[in-house]
Amino acid sequence: LRSRLLDVPLPREVTSVKVANGMVTLLVDEEFEAQLTLGYRGNPSLWRVLHLKILVGESSGKLKLTSFQEASVKDDLERRMACLEDPLQILYSVLHEFCTTWVKDTVIRQVHALQKGRWKDAIRIEIIQEGSPGTLAQPTTTSVGMTVDTEADIGSGKSHFSPGLKVVYWLDVLKGVDPPFLRIEQGADHNIACSHVPQIVDFDNDYDAQFHINLTSIDVESLLLRAILCNIHTRLLEVYRGLRNCSQLCRTDSDVILHTLKAKEMSVESFLNEV
């Protein structure tokens, strides 16, 4: 196994490689873990997939494949890996594509669930169309089997997730201006990235706010609450700076004080009430 690993390129996205008990265990953080060995169809140079563990999930738990689904994916992976010269890259590309598609579907489903609850008409989700306005996204069913149609798609890095999603909020608050939104898409490294448009300030440190989706526990509502808190803080900073620059209102440093509550000090219900 160790010798065979020296003969094939390892995807740079793989974060851990372990060889023990006749198995190679490949880990990609927040996405999947795969256990492999050699001997597909009796050929000692071809890879067999022994077990797959999908790490993406929600707060309710990680995604679990049924025994039939796992067998179907393993069979597809082994066939592809036996036919192509870059078997481990094929393994990563197919499973990464599956995880990415599932994340997109989960984000869409969570937003639609929020729309049916207390958020109602305050948010909407759009598919980002290259060169055209976003269109309303609908939940889809993730295929567990063939997540990439051809080997050419794998090599080109094409993704069903591309170009991305927009989660737009404050639809019923801001009048006459484009509402802010979270942009969820695959970056140049093909990993899922989350950003805010327009750029806002982090309430914790007054630097540009950075957003990250924890793929093992996807929670769109928490992302929205943090975006709203940072947006409110950014607007308060603008008011604060305006008051501090007004000589008729501010003559000493203690005349104008900006105080914001930390998100960790508030429950979701109390935060929504404050907003």
Side-chain angles (χ1 to χ4, degrees):
L1 286 173
R2 295 181 185 277
S3 176
R4 181 63 175 142
L5 285 174
L6 295 175
D7 295 334
V8 295
L10 192 68
R12 59 181 177 82
E13 294 85 359
V14 173
T15 51
S16 172
V17 181
K18 296 180 181 178
V19 180
N21 302 320
M23 296 184 300
V24 176
T25 302
L26 303 179
L27 172 67
V28 176
D29 284 342
E30 296 190 353
E31 290 195 16
F32 64 86
E33 181 181 273
Q35 292 180 340
L36 311 174
T37 191
L38 295 171
Y40 175 60
R41 293 185 177 178
N43 191 325
S45 65
L46 299 182
W47 292 96
R48 287 178 56 206
V49 182
L50 299 176
H51 181 65
L52 295 174
K53 183 178 181 182
I54 304 299
L55 304 180
V56 296
E58 303 176 77
S59 56
S60 57
K62 293 181 174 57
L63 173 64
K64 292 183 179 180
L65 301 178
T66 66
S67 57
F68 175 79
Q69 290 171 334
E70 183 175 357
S72 176
V73 175
K74 286 162 58 177
D75 181 69
D76 178 48
L77 285 171
E78 289 171 343
R79 179 183 59 81
R80 292 172 182 266
M81 293 168 71
C83 296
L84 300 175
E85 297 180 355
D86 203 354
L88 299 186
Q89 183 62 48
I90 297 303
L91 173 81
Y92 167 76
S93 298
V94 172
L95 293 179
H96 176 70
E97 177 70 23
F98 169 75
C99 292
T100 299
T101 302
W102 189 87
V103 169
K104 181 202 71 172
D105 290 343
T106 300
V107 170
I108 294 174
R109 177 168 48 78
Q110 286 190 6
V111 171
H112 282 283
L114 292 175
Q115 288 176 317
K116 295 178 181 178
R118 56 191 169 198
W119 291 80
K120 298 186 184 300
D121 297 328
I123 59 174
R124 73 169 180 264
I125 191 166
E126 299 175 358
I127 296 290
I128 300 173
Q129 301 290 350
E130 293 179 345
S132 64
T135 57
L136 184 63
Q138 297 296 331
T140 59
T141 301
T142 304
S143 170
V144 177
M146 301 285 286
T147 56
V148 180
D149 292 333
T150 65
E151 283 77 2
D153 287 343
I154 297 172
S156 64
K158 290 173 63 178
S159 170
H160 301 295
F161 188 82
S162 179
L165 303 171
K166 290 166 58 176
V167 182
V168 190
Y169 65 95
W170 275 354
L171 303 179
D172 55 351
V173 175
L174 302 177
K175 305 298 181 182
V177 297
D178 293 334
F181 60 87
L182 288 168
R183 184 183 180 107
I184 302 170
E185 60 191 336
Q186 280 188 293
D189 57 359
H190 302 298
N191 291 322
I192 295 177
C194 182
S195 58
H196 190 279
V197 180
Q199 184 64 57
I200 51 180
V201 177
D202 196 317
F203 59 88
D204 269 333
N205 51 36
D206 284 343
Y207 290 103
D208 288 345
Q210 304 296 321
F211 293 87
H212 169 71
I213 296 181
N214 181 357
L215 301 186
T216 62
S217 183
I218 301 169
D219 189 340
V220 175
E221 185 172 43
S222 292
L223 279 175
L224 282 168
L225 291 176
R226 183 168 182 270
I228 290 173
L229 193 57
C230 290
N231 211 327
I232 291 174
H233 181 69
T234 302
R235 291 168 178 269
L236 289 176
L237 275 178
E238 294 172 356
V239 174
Y240 171 75
R241 289 164 181 163
L243 294 176
R244 290 293 301 269
N245 291 333
C246 180
S247 60
Q248 295 178 329
L249 295 174
C250 179
R251 297 186 178 182
T252 65
D253 290 339
S254 61
D255 284 346
V256 181
I257 300 175
L258 174 63
H259 175 70
T260 57
L261 291 174
K262 301 299 183 183
K264 61 185 179 182
E265 299 174 359
M266 308 174 67
S267 65
V268 172
E269 289 75 12
S270 61
F271 175 77
L272 289 175
N273 290 334
E274 287 290 335
V275 174

